[in-house]
């Protein structure tokens, strides 16, 4: 990956149809792999602390990410661009990852993923505030539609309300902050540098949380809080395999997403990110025997519709929501 205009695809010197198809296939590979990571983490959530999982997942992902960055030729020299923006981006991504999996410990894969896919709503709102972007009537309509979808799934005030749904919503908000920081960084950095800084923040953040919550384990009946207030334990051999698998899957997923957005235009590949949701439904049923309820299906449809409407309007206006650096919804999982 070079430091050239981030809007130029890396495969520009190859047949456009071939690179576009390859980019779509890479995106589909990512949407197939990341739900497997979610299944592993949800399975580990009954025994391990979320910060321990974040730590070891990032440790095992680091060599994969380094190899990926080396392969793309974008690792050295580091292009920091702006330390405040790099750290803001990385801390926001870490926070998003943390609360996403705290939510996953209490609610299903499909519900968690559906709520998190409301990220484009927050990106639109934050871009108006911090980037000065104008929001037209169609984008406001998309934001409203997505918010209704979130409310249908979360059901605040209902007897069946699950507080963990708010954690999934917070994950979407934190991730939107990381996207805004990425936009501000622009061409001053590259994918290899951002990935390295983010993983290092993940490792440091997991370590700090482990020190803070060590010895503070409580008998909280809520799975999300129990996932946080838990001591680190010595992994068994099979647990080490699971943790290593997390690192490998995340590393491959990052590489696949990077390739997807390098080889094809964002307006083409971004809609394929929603193929993550059927996989989440499938694995939730196969592994945990859980299917989403009617309200989740309705809310999911509204959220996906709002995201596609925003994308459609951006495409019509000749702009790209997702830069070559990668602003996909799954980017930091």
């Amino acid at each position: 990956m070079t430091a050239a205009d981030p809007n130029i695809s890396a495969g520009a010197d190859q047949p456009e149809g071939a690179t576009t198809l390859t980019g779509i296939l890479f995106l589909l590979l990512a949407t197939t792999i990341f739900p497997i990571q979610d299944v592993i983490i949800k399975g580990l959530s009954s025994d391990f602390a979320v910060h321990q999982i974040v730590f070891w997942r990032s440790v095992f992902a680091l060599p994969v990410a380094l190899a990926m960055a080396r392969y793309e030729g974008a690792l050295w020299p580091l292009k920091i661009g702006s330390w405040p923006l790099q750290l803001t981006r990385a801390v926001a991504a870490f926070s998003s990852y943390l609360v996403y999996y705290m939510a996953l410990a209490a609610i299903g894969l499909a519900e968690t993923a559906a709520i998190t896919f409301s990220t484009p709503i927050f990106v639109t709102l934050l871009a108006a505030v911090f980037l000065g972007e104008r929001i037209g009537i169609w984008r406001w309509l998309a934001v409203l539609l997505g918010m209704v979808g979130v409310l249908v799934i979360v059901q605040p005030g209902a007897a069946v309300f699950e507080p963990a749904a708010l954690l999934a919503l917070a994950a979407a908000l934190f991730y939107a902050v990381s996207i805004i920081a990425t936009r501000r960084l622009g061409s001053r950095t590259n994918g290899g540098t951002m990935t390295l800084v983010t993983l290092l923040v993940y490792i440091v953040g997991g370590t700090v949380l482990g020190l803070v919550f060590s010895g503070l384990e409580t008998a909280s009946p809520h799975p999300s809080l129990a996932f946080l207030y838990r001591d680190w334990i010595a992994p068994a051999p099979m647990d080490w395999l699971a943790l290593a698998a997390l690192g490998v899957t995340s590393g491959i997923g990052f590489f696949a997403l990077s390739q997807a957005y390098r080889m094809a235009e964002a307006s083409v590949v971004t809609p394929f990110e929603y193929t993550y949701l059927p996989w989440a439904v499938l694995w939730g049923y196969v592994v945990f025997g859980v299917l989403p309820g009617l309200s989740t299906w309705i809310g999911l449809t509204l959220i996906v519709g709002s995201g596609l409407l925003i994308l459609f309007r951006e495409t019509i206006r000749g702009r790209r929501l997702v830069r070559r650096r990668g602003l996909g919804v799954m980017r930091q999982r």
Side-chain angles (χ1 to χ4, degrees), residues 85-143:
L85 286 175
Q86 285 281 3
L87 292 177
T88 297
R89 177 187 180 277
V91 171
F94 170 77
S95 301
S96 176
Y97 182 90
L98 187 75
V99 296
Y100 176 85
Y101 285 109
M102 286 177 63
L104 197 61
I107 58 181
L109 269 68
E111 288 80 2
T112 307
I115 296 172
T116 307
F117 268 84
S118 63
T119 293
I121 300 172
F122 292 110
V123 171
T124 299
L125 295 175
L126 291 176
V129 175
F130 295 102
L131 301 181
E133 295 185 6
R134 295 181 59 187
I135 304 179
I137 183 64
W138 285 103
R139 290 176 72 184
W140 276 120
L141 178 61
V143 168

Side-chain angles (χ1 to χ4, degrees), residues 254-296:
F254 288 150
F255 176 77
L257 283 170
S258 174
Q259 293 295 87
Y261 285 109
R262 288 176 68 238
M263 293 184 171
E265 291 187 359
S267 59
V268 175
V269 298
T270 298
F272 288 91
E273 287 208 12
Y274 288 108
T275 60
Y276 174 95
L277 296 170
W279 283 112
V281 173
L282 175 64
W283 285 117
Y285 177 70
V286 171
V287 179
F288 303 106
V290 177
L291 282 175
L294 178 61
S295 62
T296 299

Side-chain angles (χ1 to χ4, degrees), residues 8 12 28 44 51-52 56 66 111-112 114 145 152 165 201 277 282 290-291 309 311:
I8 301 177
L28 293 175
L44 294 173
H51 31 83
Q52 183 179 10
W56 285 115
L66 289 173
E111 288 80 2
T112 307
L145 187 67
V152 169
V201 168
L277 296 170
L282 175 64
V290 177
L291 282 175
L309 179 57
L311 180 65

Side-chain angles (χ1 to χ4, degrees), residues 10-316:
D13 56 343
Q14 302 178 23
E16 181 178 354
T19 56
T20 297
L21 177 59
T22 303
I24 292 173
L25 291 176
F26 268 117
L27 198 285
L28 293 175
L29 173 62
T31 60
T32 303
I33 286 178
F34 277 119
I36 297 175
Q37 177 184 255
D38 290 356
V39 168
I40 296 173
I41 291 183
K42 188 171 178 66
L44 294 173
S45 65
S46 59
D47 297 314
F48 289 85
V50 62
H51 31 83
Q52 183 179 10
I53 294 176
V54 169
F55 175 85
W56 285 115
R57 178 262 201 182
S58 303
V59 167
F60 284 115
L62 189 58
V64 179
L66 289 173
M68 176 191 73
R70 177 61 178 170
Y71 173 81
E72 294 182 316
L75 180 60
W76 193 264
L78 294 177
K79 289 188 63 178
I80 297 298
S82 166
W83 272 113
L85 286 175
Q86 285 281 3
L87 292 177
T88 297
R89 177 187 180 277
V91 171
F94 170 77
S95 301
S96 176
Y97 182 90
L98 187 75
V99 296
Y100 176 85
Y101 285 109
M102 286 177 63
L104 197 61
I107 58 181
L109 269 68
E111 288 80 2
T112 307
I115 296 172
T116 307
F117 268 84
S118 63
T119 293
I121 300 172
F122 292 110
V123 171
T124 299
L125 295 175
L126 291 176
V129 175
F130 295 102
L131 301 181
E133 295 185 6
R134 295 181 59 187
I135 304 179
I137 183 64
W138 285 103
R139 290 176 72 184
W140 276 120
L141 178 61
V143 168
L144 180 61
L145 187 67
M147 287 182 173
V148 171
V150 170
L151 290 175
V152 169
I153 297 176
V154 174
Q155 298 183 46
V160 294
F161 171 68
E162 170 53 65
L166 297 179
L167 293 174
L169 196 60
L173 176 58
F174 281 127
Y175 184 61
V177 172
S178 75
I179 287 177
I180 296 300
T182 304
R183 286 187 176 181
R184 292 293 298 272
L185 279 166
S187 61
R188 289 182 289 170
T189 187
N190 55 39
T193 299
M194 288 192 294
T195 300
L196 180 60
V197 171
T198 300
L199 284 178
L200 291 176
V201 168
Y202 279 25
I203 292 172
V204 172
T207 302
V208 170
L209 289 181
L211 294 173
V212 169
F213 289 104
S214 180
L216 295 181
E217 185 170 2
T218 67
S220 172
H222 197 279
S224 295
L225 291 179
F227 200 16
L228 179 64
Y229 284 91
R230 188 176 293 154
D231 289 339
W232 286 29
I233 61 174
M238 291 302 296
D239 295 329
W240 281 118
L241 288 177
L243 292 169
L246 285 178
V248 172
T249 53
S250 63
I252 295 174
F254 288 150
F255 176 77
L257 283 170
S258 174
Q259 293 295 87
Y261 285 109
R262 288 176 68 238
M263 293 184 171
E265 291 187 359
S267 59
V268 175
V269 298
T270 298
F272 288 91
E273 287 208 12
Y274 288 108
T275 60
Y276 174 95
L277 296 170
W279 283 112
V281 173
L282 175 64
W283 285 117
Y285 177 70
V286 171
V287 179
F288 303 106
V290 177
L291 282 175
L294 178 61
S295 62
T296 299
W297 285 112
I298 295 174
L300 188 153
T301 302
L302 293 173
I303 291 171
V304 171
S306 71
L308 293 178
L309 179 57
I310 291 175
L311 180 65
F312 174 75
R313 291 299 300 174
E314 293 301 305
T315 302
I316 291 298

